[in-house]
PDB file of all heavy atoms in Angstrom:
ATOM      1  N   LEU A 425      87.064 144.475 162.519  1.00  0.00           N
ATOM      2  CA  LEU A 425      87.242 143.288 163.345  1.00  0.00           C
ATOM      3  C   LEU A 425      87.359 143.661 164.809  1.00  0.00           C
ATOM      4  O   LEU A 425      86.763 143.047 165.687  1.00  0.00           O
ATOM      5  CB  LEU A 425      88.498 142.523 162.914  1.00  0.00           C
ATOM      6  CG  LEU A 425      88.437 141.669 161.648  1.00  0.00           C
ATOM      7  CD1 LEU A 425      89.821 141.172 161.295  1.00  0.00           C
ATOM      8  CD2 LEU A 425      87.482 140.499 161.815  1.00  0.00           C
ATOM      9  N   LEU A 426      88.119 144.713 165.092  1.00  0.00           N
ATOM     10  CA  LEU A 426      88.366 145.125 166.465  1.00  0.00           C
ATOM     11  C   LEU A 426      87.096 145.637 167.140  1.00  0.00           C
ATOM     12  O   LEU A 426      86.961 145.552 168.372  1.00  0.00           O
ATOM     13  CB  LEU A 426      89.465 146.155 166.518  1.00  0.00           C
ATOM     14  CG  LEU A 426      90.847 145.776 165.926  1.00  0.00           C
ATOM     15  CD1 LEU A 426      91.830 146.895 166.073  1.00  0.00           C
ATOM     16  CD2 LEU A 426      91.377 144.508 166.606  1.00  0.00           C
ATOM     17  N   ARG A 427      86.220 146.235 166.340  1.00  0.00           N
ATOM     18  CA  ARG A 427      84.954 146.773 166.894  1.00  0.00           C
ATOM     19  C   ARG A 427      83.817 145.781 166.783  1.00  0.00           C
ATOM     20  O   ARG A 427      82.656 146.167 167.029  1.00  0.00           O
ATOM     21  CB  ARG A 427      84.599 148.060 166.141  1.00  0.00           C
ATOM     22  CG  ARG A 427      85.473 149.245 166.542  1.00  0.00           C
ATOM     23  CD  ARG A 427      85.180 150.448 165.675  1.00  0.00           C
ATOM     24  NE  ARG A 427      85.707 151.686 166.270  1.00  0.00           N
ATOM     25  CZ  ARG A 427      85.955 152.794 165.576  1.00  0.00           C
ATOM     26  NH1 ARG A 427      85.697 152.818 164.270  1.00  0.00           N
ATOM     27  NH2 ARG A 427      86.437 153.860 166.165  1.00  0.00           N
ATOM     28  N   SER A 428      84.111 144.558 166.385  1.00  0.00           N
ATOM     29  CA  SER A 428      83.112 143.502 166.211  1.00  0.00           C
ATOM     30  C   SER A 428      82.042 143.847 165.196  1.00  0.00           C
ATOM     31  O   SER A 428      80.914 143.347 165.256  1.00  0.00           O
ATOM     32  CB  SER A 428      82.467 143.179 167.582  1.00  0.00           C
ATOM     33  OG  SER A 428      83.421 142.713 168.517  1.00  0.00           O
ATOM     34  N   GLN A 429      82.400 144.711 164.251  1.00  0.00           N
ATOM     35  CA  GLN A 429      81.498 145.047 163.178  1.00  0.00           C
ATOM     36  C   GLN A 429      81.535 143.989 162.087  1.00  0.00           C
ATOM     37  O   GLN A 429      80.649 143.934 161.215  1.00  0.00           O
ATOM     38  CB  GLN A 429      81.851 146.419 162.598  1.00  0.00           C
ATOM     39  CG  GLN A 429      81.660 147.545 163.584  1.00  0.00           C
ATOM     40  CD  GLN A 429      82.270 148.856 163.092  1.00  0.00           C
ATOM     41  OE1 GLN A 429      83.016 148.872 162.108  1.00  0.00           O
ATOM     42  NE2 GLN A 429      81.964 149.939 163.783  1.00  0.00           N
ATOM     43  N   SER A 430      82.574 143.159 162.118  1.00  0.00           N
ATOM     44  CA  SER A 430      82.706 142.078 161.172  1.00  0.00           C
ATOM     45  C   SER A 430      83.360 140.890 161.881  1.00  0.00           C
ATOM     46  O   SER A 430      84.182 141.077 162.761  1.00  0.00           O
ATOM     47  CB  SER A 430      83.586 142.505 159.981  1.00  0.00           C
ATOM     48  OG  SER A 430      83.881 141.384 159.137  1.00  0.00           O
ATOM     49  N   GLN A 431      82.957 139.696 161.505  1.00  0.00           N
ATOM     50  CA  GLN A 431      83.524 138.479 162.075  1.00  0.00           C
ATOM     51  C   GLN A 431      84.489 137.809 161.123  1.00  0.00           C
ATOM     52  O   GLN A 431      85.134 136.811 161.451  1.00  0.00           O
ATOM     53  CB  GLN A 431      82.414 137.480 162.417  1.00  0.00           C
ATOM     54  CG  GLN A 431      81.380 138.016 163.380  1.00  0.00           C
ATOM     55  CD  GLN A 431      81.964 138.432 164.705  1.00  0.00           C
ATOM     56  OE1 GLN A 431      82.788 137.732 165.293  1.00  0.00           O
ATOM     57  NE2 GLN A 431      81.554 139.598 165.189  1.00  0.00           N
ATOM     58  N   HIS A 432      84.637 138.392 159.940  1.00  0.00           N
ATOM     59  CA  HIS A 432      85.437 137.756 158.895  1.00  0.00           C
ATOM     60  C   HIS A 432      86.509 138.730 158.421  1.00  0.00           C
ATOM     61  O   HIS A 432      86.220 139.895 158.155  1.00  0.00           O
ATOM     62  CB  HIS A 432      84.557 137.336 157.723  1.00  0.00           C
ATOM     63  CG  HIS A 432      85.107 136.177 156.949  1.00  0.00           C
ATOM     64  ND1 HIS A 432      86.204 136.274 156.135  1.00  0.00           N
ATOM     65  CD2 HIS A 432      84.708 134.892 156.888  1.00  0.00           C
ATOM     66  CE1 HIS A 432      86.443 135.105 155.569  1.00  0.00           C
ATOM     67  NE2 HIS A 432      85.546 134.228 156.015  1.00  0.00           N
TER      68      HIS A 432
END
Side-chain angles (χ1 to χ4, degrees):
L425 283 172
L426 302 180
R427 286 175 164 158
S428 298
Q429 296 169 348
S430 172
Q431 302 300 316
H432 207 288

